[in-house]
Amino acid sequence: MKHEDKVFALIDVNNCYVSCERVFNPSLNRKPVIVLSNNDGCAVARSQEAKDLGIKMAVPLFQIQELVHKHNIIVLSSNYALYAEMSRRFMQILSTFVSEHEQEVYSIDECFLDLSRYPQNYDLSNYAQQMRKRIFKWIGLPCCVGIGRSKTEAKMANHIAKKNPHFNGVCNLVEMDPLVTESIFQSIDVAEVWGVGRKHSKKLQSMGINTVFDLAISQPQVLGKQFSVVMQRTVLELQGISCIEIEHTPPSKQQIVASRSFGQRITELNELKEALSMYVQDATQRLRDEKLLCGCIVVFVQSNPFDANIPFYNKSCSYALPQPTDNAVELVKLSIGLLDQIFKEGIQYKKCGVILTGLEPKSTHTYDLLTDMSIIKESDDLMDALEAVQQKFGKKKIAVGPCFIPGRSWSMCRDKLSKNYFKWDELLVIMK
DNA sequence: TCTGGGGTCCTAGGACCC
DNA sequence: TCTGGGGTCCTAGGACCC
């Protein structure tokens, strides 16, 4: 198949986190609602009503307190367990429209579909409307669909569908009159293009490239030289030449990061150790879920970068393991050792974290000749036992090192957390 | 007072090798 | 004063994404 014949769709849940909350709490409908990031720091999701009030993406809560009071904006902590379950169902419904290798789960609320096989047999706009209807009917989430000849075009189409209600949730650039496409592209800021961020859009504007249309008629190679091959691909994709394929099986992870800002500043080494040992176990859990081993561990600590009066302290330390592992006891012990090396007295710490890298599949790892396999076996048995206890009695019943101590000053703020309606003891109560 | 977290990819530059 | 060229590997930093 020639690349010209490719067709992609991007389906994206509108205001995802707010929409998830509204499914279980209809009193939020038609009201301005925002959902906050971890630690109740920034607004990471806004309902349309909140956007209309001028609340920007990722703005810190303290900067909009006045607006919040004035307009009775409803403020919620983020409830990732809930959103993850809704996301799983959203993706599952979309999987009924294509075959397995034609679907790519791109993010928690976005999904690419390769529809290249379908134009002959389906009216794609109609097919997309069926997707929207089924998703809304089955799980109550509103979404938009963009269709284009490349992923970047599909993203653009999705953006157009979202901003223009008369499209009724579906924008199909493949079928659109090129003159109409052109005039729409002329009206959209180049910063809206997928892959063009703040820095690049500034530079593009300084070169006289202000709109999506300007970028689409640029010369890919010239921009490739001035930016990078990424920008070159973006231009080609906007011209309808697909350069980025669907990834139906997620590529295996390069690294696993677990970090958090603290609710309050920390100065004591012991408290940092408590936090870090928790994060390491979170990372190790994800490592084991992916059936990977970790060959290198990085620990970092930071003070508050926004504090203008005090110099920013940002230090990390890494260690390459002689033998890759997925053992939480070992990883906690090592990371505490690394923390000892980078800890400095008198700093007000705001954040710490761990990065597991040098990852490789556990199934294909070859141990060297001198490895005592009985030790590996013991480690596996221990981790299995640990996980079995957690599964049966809850995540916080057993752990490695000093963690899960309630009431710590550094623990995350989540004051306005909704329930996880998918758990037995938090189900929605209709009537009592 | 209060500013998220988890990722990927690309590039430039240094170290090192022959 | 003259002072290779080409290759690889690693790392840090920057840009982007949601």
PDB file of all heavy atoms in Angstrom, chain B residues 5-17:
ATOM      1  P    DG B   5       4.993  15.485  41.836  1.00  0.00           P
ATOM      2  OP1  DG B   5       4.874  14.834  43.141  1.00  0.00           O
ATOM      3  OP2  DG B   5       6.176  16.270  41.473  1.00  0.00           O
ATOM      4  O5'  DG B   5       4.777  14.393  40.722  1.00  0.00           O
ATOM      5  C5'  DG B   5       3.605  13.606  40.761  1.00  0.00           C
ATOM      6  C4'  DG B   5       3.651  12.664  39.596  1.00  0.00           C
ATOM      7  O4'  DG B   5       3.426  13.415  38.387  1.00  0.00           O
ATOM      8  C3'  DG B   5       5.020  11.985  39.426  1.00  0.00           C
ATOM      9  O3'  DG B   5       4.753  10.632  39.181  1.00  0.00           O
ATOM     10  C2'  DG B   5       5.636  12.690  38.220  1.00  0.00           C
ATOM     11  C1'  DG B   5       4.390  13.051  37.430  1.00  0.00           C
ATOM     12  N9   DG B   5       4.531  14.169  36.507  1.00  0.00           N
ATOM     13  C8   DG B   5       5.174  15.362  36.708  1.00  0.00           C
ATOM     14  N7   DG B   5       5.114  16.157  35.675  1.00  0.00           N
ATOM     15  C5   DG B   5       4.384  15.446  34.744  1.00  0.00           C
ATOM     16  C6   DG B   5       3.986  15.781  33.424  1.00  0.00           C
ATOM     17  O6   DG B   5       4.226  16.820  32.797  1.00  0.00           O
ATOM     18  N1   DG B   5       3.252  14.762  32.834  1.00  0.00           N
ATOM     19  C2   DG B   5       2.928  13.569  33.426  1.00  0.00           C
ATOM     20  N2   DG B   5       2.220  12.705  32.708  1.00  0.00           N
ATOM     21  N3   DG B   5       3.295  13.235  34.655  1.00  0.00           N
ATOM     22  C4   DG B   5       4.012  14.221  35.256  1.00  0.00           C
ATOM     23  P    DG B   6       5.910   9.598  39.144  1.00  0.00           P
ATOM     24  OP1  DG B   6       5.471   8.474  39.980  1.00  0.00           O
ATOM     25  OP2  DG B   6       7.205  10.274  39.380  1.00  0.00           O
ATOM     26  O5'  DG B   6       5.871   9.134  37.631  1.00  0.00           O
ATOM     27  C5'  DG B   6       4.675   8.577  37.115  1.00  0.00           C
ATOM     28  C4'  DG B   6       4.866   8.446  35.630  1.00  0.00           C
ATOM     29  O4'  DG B   6       4.827   9.750  35.034  1.00  0.00           O
ATOM     30  C3'  DG B   6       6.230   7.840  35.252  1.00  0.00           C
ATOM     31  O3'  DG B   6       6.013   6.766  34.364  1.00  0.00           O
ATOM     32  C2'  DG B   6       6.961   8.984  34.586  1.00  0.00           C
ATOM     33  C1'  DG B   6       5.804   9.800  34.027  1.00  0.00           C
ATOM     34  N9   DG B   6       6.153  11.177  33.726  1.00  0.00           N
ATOM     35  C8   DG B   6       6.835  12.069  34.512  1.00  0.00           C
ATOM     36  N7   DG B   6       7.016  13.223  33.930  1.00  0.00           N
ATOM     37  C5   DG B   6       6.412  13.084  32.688  1.00  0.00           C
ATOM     38  C6   DG B   6       6.283  13.991  31.613  1.00  0.00           C
ATOM     39  O6   DG B   6       6.701  15.149  31.534  1.00  0.00           O
ATOM     40  N1   DG B   6       5.585  13.433  30.539  1.00  0.00           N
ATOM     41  C2   DG B   6       5.080  12.155  30.522  1.00  0.00           C
ATOM     42  N2   DG B   6       4.445  11.793  29.407  1.00  0.00           N
ATOM     43  N3   DG B   6       5.195  11.294  31.516  1.00  0.00           N
ATOM     44  C4   DG B   6       5.869  11.824  32.563  1.00  0.00           C
ATOM     45  P    DG B   7       7.083   5.660  34.134  1.00  0.00           P
ATOM     46  OP1  DG B   7       6.487   4.388  34.432  1.00  0.00           O
ATOM     47  OP2  DG B   7       8.357   6.081  34.763  1.00  0.00           O
ATOM     48  O5'  DG B   7       7.278   5.723  32.562  1.00  0.00           O
ATOM     49  C5'  DG B   7       8.350   6.446  32.036  1.00  0.00           C
ATOM     50  C4'  DG B   7       7.836   7.079  30.771  1.00  0.00           C
ATOM     51  O4'  DG B   7       7.497   8.431  31.066  1.00  0.00           O
ATOM     52  C3'  DG B   7       8.897   7.182  29.704  1.00  0.00           C
ATOM     53  O3'  DG B   7       8.904   5.953  28.983  1.00  0.00           O
ATOM     54  C2'  DG B   7       8.358   8.311  28.847  1.00  0.00           C
ATOM     55  C1'  DG B   7       7.594   9.174  29.870  1.00  0.00           C
ATOM     56  N9   DG B   7       8.251  10.438  30.185  1.00  0.00           N
ATOM     57  C8   DG B   7       8.850  10.823  31.364  1.00  0.00           C
ATOM     58  N7   DG B   7       9.330  12.034  31.325  1.00  0.00           N
ATOM     59  C5   DG B   7       9.030  12.472  30.051  1.00  0.00           C
ATOM     60  C6   DG B   7       9.309  13.717  29.420  1.00  0.00           C
ATOM     61  O6   DG B   7       9.886  14.700  29.872  1.00  0.00           O
ATOM     62  N1   DG B   7       8.840  13.738  28.111  1.00  0.00           N
ATOM     63  C2   DG B   7       8.180  12.687  27.490  1.00  0.00           C
ATOM     64  N2   DG B   7       7.809  12.873  26.224  1.00  0.00           N
ATOM     65  N3   DG B   7       7.920  11.530  28.074  1.00  0.00           N
ATOM     66  C4   DG B   7       8.370  11.498  29.341  1.00  0.00           C
ATOM     67  P    DT B   8      10.206   5.534  28.178  1.00  0.00           P
ATOM     68  OP1  DT B   8      10.033   4.128  27.778  1.00  0.00           O
ATOM     69  OP2  DT B   8      11.388   5.961  28.952  1.00  0.00           O
ATOM     70  O5'  DT B   8      10.133   6.441  26.878  1.00  0.00           O
ATOM     71  C5'  DT B   8       8.996   6.352  26.023  1.00  0.00           C
ATOM     72  C4'  DT B   8       9.206   7.345  24.904  1.00  0.00           C
ATOM     73  O4'  DT B   8       9.235   8.677  25.483  1.00  0.00           O
ATOM     74  C3'  DT B   8      10.562   7.137  24.230  1.00  0.00           C
ATOM     75  O3'  DT B   8      10.364   6.765  22.882  1.00  0.00           O
ATOM     76  C2'  DT B   8      11.275   8.468  24.323  1.00  0.00           C
ATOM     77  C1'  DT B   8      10.245   9.433  24.851  1.00  0.00           C
ATOM     78  N1   DT B   8      10.842  10.328  25.853  1.00  0.00           N
ATOM     79  C2   DT B   8      11.085  11.628  25.483  1.00  0.00           C
ATOM     80  O2   DT B   8      10.829  12.050  24.381  1.00  0.00           O
ATOM     81  N3   DT B   8      11.638  12.392  26.462  1.00  0.00           N
ATOM     82  C4   DT B   8      11.977  12.004  27.744  1.00  0.00           C
ATOM     83  O4   DT B   8      12.475  12.798  28.538  1.00  0.00           O
ATOM     84  C5   DT B   8      11.710  10.630  28.059  1.00  0.00           C
ATOM     85  C7   DT B   8      12.026  10.096  29.417  1.00  0.00           C
ATOM     86  C6   DT B   8      11.158   9.861  27.119  1.00  0.00           C
ATOM     87  P    DC B   9      11.627   6.241  22.070  1.00  0.00           P
ATOM     88  OP1  DC B   9      11.098   5.309  21.067  1.00  0.00           O
ATOM     89  OP2  DC B   9      12.721   5.855  22.993  1.00  0.00           O
ATOM     90  O5'  DC B   9      12.115   7.564  21.340  1.00  0.00           O
ATOM     91  C5'  DC B   9      11.192   8.374  20.623  1.00  0.00           C
ATOM     92  C4'  DC B   9      11.909   9.654  20.266  1.00  0.00           C
ATOM     93  O4'  DC B   9      12.151  10.414  21.469  1.00  0.00           O
ATOM     94  C3'  DC B   9      13.275   9.409  19.628  1.00  0.00           C
ATOM     95  O3'  DC B   9      13.307  10.097  18.393  1.00  0.00           O
ATOM     96  C2'  DC B   9      14.274   9.970  20.621  1.00  0.00           C
ATOM     97  C1'  DC B   9      13.454  10.971  21.417  1.00  0.00           C
ATOM     98  N1   DC B   9      13.909  11.174  22.811  1.00  0.00           N
ATOM     99  C2   DC B   9      14.213  12.473  23.241  1.00  0.00           C
ATOM    100  O2   DC B   9      14.088  13.417  22.457  1.00  0.00           O
ATOM    101  N3   DC B   9      14.640  12.656  24.521  1.00  0.00           N
ATOM    102  C4   DC B   9      14.754  11.619  25.334  1.00  0.00           C
ATOM    103  N4   DC B   9      15.173  11.863  26.585  1.00  0.00           N
ATOM    104  C5   DC B   9      14.445  10.298  24.924  1.00  0.00           C
ATOM    105  C6   DC B   9      14.034  10.113  23.657  1.00  0.00           C
ATOM    106  P    DC B  10      14.526   9.884  17.394  1.00  0.00           P
ATOM    107  OP1  DC B  10      13.951   9.912  16.048  1.00  0.00           O
ATOM    108  OP2  DC B  10      15.355   8.747  17.861  1.00  0.00           O
ATOM    109  O5'  DC B  10      15.367  11.208  17.617  1.00  0.00           O
ATOM    110  C5'  DC B  10      14.748  12.460  17.370  1.00  0.00           C
ATOM    111  C4'  DC B  10      15.713  13.546  17.767  1.00  0.00           C
ATOM    112  O4'  DC B  10      15.875  13.520  19.206  1.00  0.00           O
ATOM    113  C3'  DC B  10      17.101  13.358  17.165  1.00  0.00           C
ATOM    114  O3'  DC B  10      17.392  14.498  16.378  1.00  0.00           O
ATOM    115  C2'  DC B  10      18.038  13.200  18.363  1.00  0.00           C
ATOM    116  C1'  DC B  10      17.228  13.768  19.527  1.00  0.00           C
ATOM    117  N1   DC B  10      17.472  13.118  20.832  1.00  0.00           N
ATOM    118  C2   DC B  10      17.912  13.905  21.914  1.00  0.00           C
ATOM    119  O2   DC B  10      18.097  15.112  21.736  1.00  0.00           O
ATOM    120  N3   DC B  10      18.127  13.312  23.116  1.00  0.00           N
ATOM    121  C4   DC B  10      17.915  12.004  23.257  1.00  0.00           C
ATOM    122  N4   DC B  10      18.134  11.467  24.469  1.00  0.00           N
ATOM    123  C5   DC B  10      17.466  11.197  22.183  1.00  0.00           C
ATOM    124  C6   DC B  10      17.261  11.779  20.992  1.00  0.00           C
ATOM    125  P    DT B  11      18.742  14.561  15.552  1.00  0.00           P
ATOM    126  OP1  DT B  11      18.463  15.372  14.361  1.00  0.00           O
ATOM    127  OP2  DT B  11      19.306  13.209  15.437  1.00  0.00           O
ATOM    128  O5'  DT B  11      19.670  15.398  16.525  1.00  0.00           O
ATOM    129  C5'  DT B  11      19.137  16.574  17.138  1.00  0.00           C
ATOM    130  C4'  DT B  11      20.221  17.191  17.997  1.00  0.00           C
ATOM    131  O4'  DT B  11      20.258  16.506  19.290  1.00  0.00           O
ATOM    132  C3'  DT B  11      21.622  17.061  17.400  1.00  0.00           C
ATOM    133  O3'  DT B  11      22.242  18.333  17.472  1.00  0.00           O
ATOM    134  C2'  DT B  11      22.330  16.041  18.277  1.00  0.00           C
ATOM    135  C1'  DT B  11      21.599  16.182  19.607  1.00  0.00           C
ATOM    136  N1   DT B  11      21.541  14.966  20.450  1.00  0.00           N
ATOM    137  C2   DT B  11      21.771  15.085  21.803  1.00  0.00           C
ATOM    138  O2   DT B  11      22.025  16.146  22.328  1.00  0.00           O
ATOM    139  N3   DT B  11      21.676  13.915  22.516  1.00  0.00           N
ATOM    140  C4   DT B  11      21.384  12.663  22.016  1.00  0.00           C
ATOM    141  O4   DT B  11      21.327  11.686  22.746  1.00  0.00           O
ATOM    142  C5   DT B  11      21.156  12.605  20.591  1.00  0.00           C
ATOM    143  C7   DT B  11      20.843  11.295  19.958  1.00  0.00           C
ATOM    144  C6   DT B  11      21.241  13.747  19.878  1.00  0.00           C
ATOM    145  P    DA B  12      23.603  18.615  16.707  1.00  0.00           P
ATOM    146  OP1  DA B  12      23.328  19.717  15.778  1.00  0.00           O
ATOM    147  OP2  DA B  12      24.181  17.352  16.218  1.00  0.00           O
ATOM    148  O5'  DA B  12      24.522  19.145  17.891  1.00  0.00           O
ATOM    149  C5'  DA B  12      23.925  19.747  19.040  1.00  0.00           C
ATOM    150  C4'  DA B  12      24.931  19.745  20.172  1.00  0.00           C
ATOM    151  O4'  DA B  12      24.786  18.512  20.941  1.00  0.00           O
ATOM    152  C3'  DA B  12      26.391  19.780  19.705  1.00  0.00           C
ATOM    153  O3'  DA B  12      27.118  20.623  20.582  1.00  0.00           O
ATOM    154  C2'  DA B  12      26.845  18.325  19.794  1.00  0.00           C
ATOM    155  C1'  DA B  12      26.018  17.808  20.962  1.00  0.00           C
ATOM    156  N9   DA B  12      25.684  16.383  20.891  1.00  0.00           N
ATOM    157  C8   DA B  12      25.385  15.641  19.783  1.00  0.00           C
ATOM    158  N7   DA B  12      25.106  14.382  20.037  1.00  0.00           N
ATOM    159  C5   DA B  12      25.221  14.293  21.417  1.00  0.00           C
ATOM    160  C6   DA B  12      25.042  13.215  22.317  1.00  0.00           C
ATOM    161  N6   DA B  12      24.699  11.986  21.945  1.00  0.00           N
ATOM    162  N1   DA B  12      25.225  13.467  23.632  1.00  0.00           N
ATOM    163  C2   DA B  12      25.568  14.704  24.000  1.00  0.00           C
ATOM    164  N3   DA B  12      25.759  15.791  23.249  1.00  0.00           N
ATOM    165  C4   DA B  12      25.571  15.518  21.954  1.00  0.00           C
ATOM    166  P    DG B  13      28.640  20.992  20.243  1.00  0.00           P
ATOM    167  OP1  DG B  13      28.751  22.446  20.466  1.00  0.00           O
ATOM    168  OP2  DG B  13      29.043  20.389  18.943  1.00  0.00           O
ATOM    169  O5'  DG B  13      29.419  20.241  21.407  1.00  0.00           O
ATOM    170  C5'  DG B  13      28.872  20.212  22.724  1.00  0.00           C
ATOM    171  C4'  DG B  13      29.657  19.213  23.547  1.00  0.00           C
ATOM    172  O4'  DG B  13      29.093  17.889  23.353  1.00  0.00           O
ATOM    173  C3'  DG B  13      31.128  19.110  23.145  1.00  0.00           C
ATOM    174  O3'  DG B  13      31.899  18.996  24.327  1.00  0.00           O
ATOM    175  C2'  DG B  13      31.185  17.828  22.332  1.00  0.00           C
ATOM    176  C1'  DG B  13      30.138  16.995  23.039  1.00  0.00           C
ATOM    177  N9   DG B  13      29.589  15.891  22.272  1.00  0.00           N
ATOM    178  C8   DG B  13      29.314  15.861  20.926  1.00  0.00           C
ATOM    179  N7   DG B  13      28.805  14.705  20.533  1.00  0.00           N
ATOM    180  C5   DG B  13      28.751  13.944  21.693  1.00  0.00           C
ATOM    181  C6   DG B  13      28.296  12.611  21.909  1.00  0.00           C
ATOM    182  O6   DG B  13      27.838  11.824  21.081  1.00  0.00           O
ATOM    183  N1   DG B  13      28.402  12.237  23.242  1.00  0.00           N
ATOM    184  C2   DG B  13      28.893  13.036  24.241  1.00  0.00           C
ATOM    185  N2   DG B  13      28.924  12.510  25.462  1.00  0.00           N
ATOM    186  N3   DG B  13      29.317  14.282  24.063  1.00  0.00           N
ATOM    187  C4   DG B  13      29.223  14.666  22.772  1.00  0.00           C
ATOM    188  P    DG B  14      33.500  19.218  24.229  1.00  0.00           P
ATOM    189  OP1  DG B  14      33.794  20.488  24.890  1.00  0.00           O
ATOM    190  OP2  DG B  14      33.981  18.962  22.850  1.00  0.00           O
ATOM    191  O5'  DG B  14      34.004  18.034  25.161  1.00  0.00           O
ATOM    192  C5'  DG B  14      33.285  17.723  26.354  1.00  0.00           C
ATOM    193  C4'  DG B  14      33.581  16.293  26.735  1.00  0.00           C
ATOM    194  O4'  DG B  14      32.795  15.408  25.903  1.00  0.00           O
ATOM    195  C3'  DG B  14      35.044  15.899  26.548  1.00  0.00           C
ATOM    196  O3'  DG B  14      35.505  15.251  27.724  1.00  0.00           O
ATOM    197  C2'  DG B  14      35.025  14.958  25.349  1.00  0.00           C
ATOM    198  C1'  DG B  14      33.627  14.375  25.408  1.00  0.00           C
ATOM    199  N9   DG B  14      33.081  13.954  24.122  1.00  0.00           N
ATOM    200  C8   DG B  14      33.018  14.691  22.964  1.00  0.00           C
ATOM    201  N7   DG B  14      32.459  14.039  21.979  1.00  0.00           N
ATOM    202  C5   DG B  14      32.132  12.798  22.519  1.00  0.00           C
ATOM    203  C6   DG B  14      31.507  11.666  21.926  1.00  0.00           C
ATOM    204  O6   DG B  14      31.108  11.536  20.763  1.00  0.00           O
ATOM    205  N1   DG B  14      31.376  10.619  22.828  1.00  0.00           N
ATOM    206  C2   DG B  14      31.787  10.660  24.131  1.00  0.00           C
ATOM    207  N2   DG B  14      31.573   9.551  24.854  1.00  0.00           N
ATOM    208  N3   DG B  14      32.370  11.701  24.710  1.00  0.00           N
ATOM    209  C4   DG B  14      32.515  12.735  23.842  1.00  0.00           C
ATOM    210  P    DA B  15      37.033  14.810  27.789  1.00  0.00           P
ATOM    211  OP1  DA B  15      37.479  15.149  29.150  1.00  0.00           O
ATOM    212  OP2  DA B  15      37.771  15.303  26.600  1.00  0.00           O
ATOM    213  O5'  DA B  15      36.919  13.229  27.678  1.00  0.00           O
ATOM    214  C5'  DA B  15      35.992  12.531  28.512  1.00  0.00           C
ATOM    215  C4'  DA B  15      36.083  11.054  28.189  1.00  0.00           C
ATOM    216  O4'  DA B  15      35.386  10.804  26.943  1.00  0.00           O
ATOM    217  C3'  DA B  15      37.520  10.571  27.999  1.00  0.00           C
ATOM    218  O3'  DA B  15      37.696   9.344  28.681  1.00  0.00           O
ATOM    219  C2'  DA B  15      37.660  10.423  26.486  1.00  0.00           C
ATOM    220  C1'  DA B  15      36.231  10.106  26.059  1.00  0.00           C
ATOM    221  N9   DA B  15      35.890  10.549  24.708  1.00  0.00           N
ATOM    222  C8   DA B  15      36.140  11.773  24.144  1.00  0.00           C
ATOM    223  N7   DA B  15      35.698  11.879  22.905  1.00  0.00           N
ATOM    224  C5   DA B  15      35.113  10.644  22.649  1.00  0.00           C
ATOM    225  C6   DA B  15      34.473  10.119  21.507  1.00  0.00           C
ATOM    226  N6   DA B  15      34.293  10.798  20.383  1.00  0.00           N
ATOM    227  N1   DA B  15      34.020   8.861  21.577  1.00  0.00           N
ATOM    228  C2   DA B  15      34.201   8.162  22.713  1.00  0.00           C
ATOM    229  N3   DA B  15      34.785   8.553  23.855  1.00  0.00           N
ATOM    230  C4   DA B  15      35.231   9.813  23.753  1.00  0.00           C
ATOM    231  P    DC B  16      39.161   8.731  28.791  1.00  0.00           P
ATOM    232  OP1  DC B  16      39.184   7.979  30.060  1.00  0.00           O
ATOM    233  OP2  DC B  16      40.165   9.763  28.504  1.00  0.00           O
ATOM    234  O5'  DC B  16      39.170   7.687  27.604  1.00  0.00           O
ATOM    235  C5'  DC B  16      38.120   6.723  27.514  1.00  0.00           C
ATOM    236  C4'  DC B  16      38.189   6.083  26.158  1.00  0.00           C
ATOM    237  O4'  DC B  16      37.691   6.996  25.164  1.00  0.00           O
ATOM    238  C3'  DC B  16      39.611   5.719  25.720  1.00  0.00           C
ATOM    239  O3'  DC B  16      39.743   4.314  25.711  1.00  0.00           O
ATOM    240  C2'  DC B  16      39.740   6.303  24.314  1.00  0.00           C
ATOM    241  C1'  DC B  16      38.296   6.624  23.951  1.00  0.00           C
ATOM    242  N1   DC B  16      38.159   7.728  22.980  1.00  0.00           N
ATOM    243  C2   DC B  16      37.457   7.488  21.790  1.00  0.00           C
ATOM    244  O2   DC B  16      36.980   6.362  21.600  1.00  0.00           O
ATOM    245  N3   DC B  16      37.332   8.485  20.884  1.00  0.00           N
ATOM    246  C4   DC B  16      37.865   9.678  21.132  1.00  0.00           C
ATOM    247  N4   DC B  16      37.709  10.615  20.209  1.00  0.00           N
ATOM    248  C5   DC B  16      38.571   9.950  22.343  1.00  0.00           C
ATOM    249  C6   DC B  16      38.700   8.957  23.230  1.00  0.00           C
ATOM    250  P    DC B  17      41.137   3.666  25.379  1.00  0.00           P
ATOM    251  OP1  DC B  17      41.296   2.514  26.272  1.00  0.00           O
ATOM    252  OP2  DC B  17      42.190   4.721  25.316  1.00  0.00           O
ATOM    253  O5'  DC B  17      40.903   3.132  23.910  1.00  0.00           O
ATOM    254  C5'  DC B  17      39.702   2.411  23.596  1.00  0.00           C
ATOM    255  C4'  DC B  17      39.688   2.176  22.098  1.00  0.00           C
ATOM    256  O4'  DC B  17      39.234   3.375  21.444  1.00  0.00           O
ATOM    257  C3'  DC B  17      41.093   1.890  21.565  1.00  0.00           C
ATOM    258  O3'  DC B  17      41.173   0.584  21.019  1.00  0.00           O
ATOM    259  C2'  DC B  17      41.323   2.929  20.485  1.00  0.00           C
ATOM    260  C1'  DC B  17      39.969   3.550  20.254  1.00  0.00           C
ATOM    261  N1   DC B  17      40.077   5.005  20.002  1.00  0.00           N
ATOM    262  C2   DC B  17      39.634   5.507  18.784  1.00  0.00           C
ATOM    263  O2   DC B  17      39.160   4.719  17.954  1.00  0.00           O
ATOM    264  N3   DC B  17      39.755   6.833  18.537  1.00  0.00           N
ATOM    265  C4   DC B  17      40.275   7.633  19.462  1.00  0.00           C
ATOM    266  N4   DC B  17      40.364   8.936  19.179  1.00  0.00           N
ATOM    267  C5   DC B  17      40.725   7.140  20.718  1.00  0.00           C
ATOM    268  C6   DC B  17      40.616   5.829  20.951  1.00  0.00           C
TER     269       DC B  17
END
